[in-house]
Amino acid sequence: MRRMRIGAGATLVAGALAVTGLAFAPAALAVAPGTATITADCGSFGGGEATLTATQDGTAATLTLNSSAITAPIALGEDSISSTLTLVRASGGTVAFSGTENPAMAAGDPVQVGPLSGTVAPGDSLEAFGGSLQMTVFGITITCTATGPQSPGPFVFD
């Protein structure tokens, strides 16, 4: 009987601690929308539709770009593209997301860069239109620009 009371008491204490932990846990931060689509022009390197995916952890944010319309001009090794994606802040100025993350790609494969890291402020509203993506591959810089606003709208960070 005594063991049952100790077991029940321990269960109640564990439950109370779990509820307390939830009450004091920080709220999960989110960026909305999580994905957006742009149409990009990369000059003589092509262009077309691309998808941007954003994540946020506090003031740290990442963006990844995927495009089946923009393809690798030659075979590229993993983490061989130095990329900077610059987005326009609705309140003025720009925010840059940079990195050298990319999967290995064969010539003609869809381009993927990221996650590219940047710093955001609560309430930042960031748009690709008016910004650019610069990718440097073997010393050659490829610049892509959005031809119109991203859809469904700008990224808004908590």
Side-chain angles (χ1 to χ4, degrees):
M1 182 73 155
R2 184 175 186 167
R3 267 194 268 172
M4 285 183 67
R5 278 190 277 178
I6 292 173
T11 301
L12 287 173
V13 168
L17 287 174
V19 169
T20 303
L22 287 175
F24 290 108
L29 296 175
V31 56
T35 61
T37 303
I38 61 168
T39 301
D41 178 6
C42 301
S44 61
F45 292 97
E49 191 171 282
T51 301
L52 296 170
T53 303
T55 64
Q56 178 183 9
D57 184 9
T59 60
T62 62
L63 282 166
T64 302
L65 178 132
N66 290 291
S67 177
S68 58
I70 303 167
T71 58
I74 57 174
L76 300 168
E78 181 178 1
D79 301 336
S80 62
I81 303 172
S82 178
S83 303
T84 299
L85 175 63
T86 304
L87 300 180
V88 177
R89 184 181 280 137
S91 62
T94 59
V95 177
F97 295 83
S98 300
T100 57
E101 299 286 326
N102 66 275
M105 293 174 257
D109 277 357
V111 167
Q112 176 182 333
V113 294
L116 306 175
S117 302
T119 303
V120 295
D124 267 354
S125 178
L126 304 178
E127 165 70 58
F129 187 52
S132 67
L133 170 65
Q134 289 192 326
M135 299 176 284
T136 303
V137 182
F138 302 121
I140 299 168
T141 299
I142 302 163
T143 301
C144 301
T145 56
T147 59
Q150 65 192 46
S151 177
F155 294 115
V156 179
F157 294 87
D158 281 347

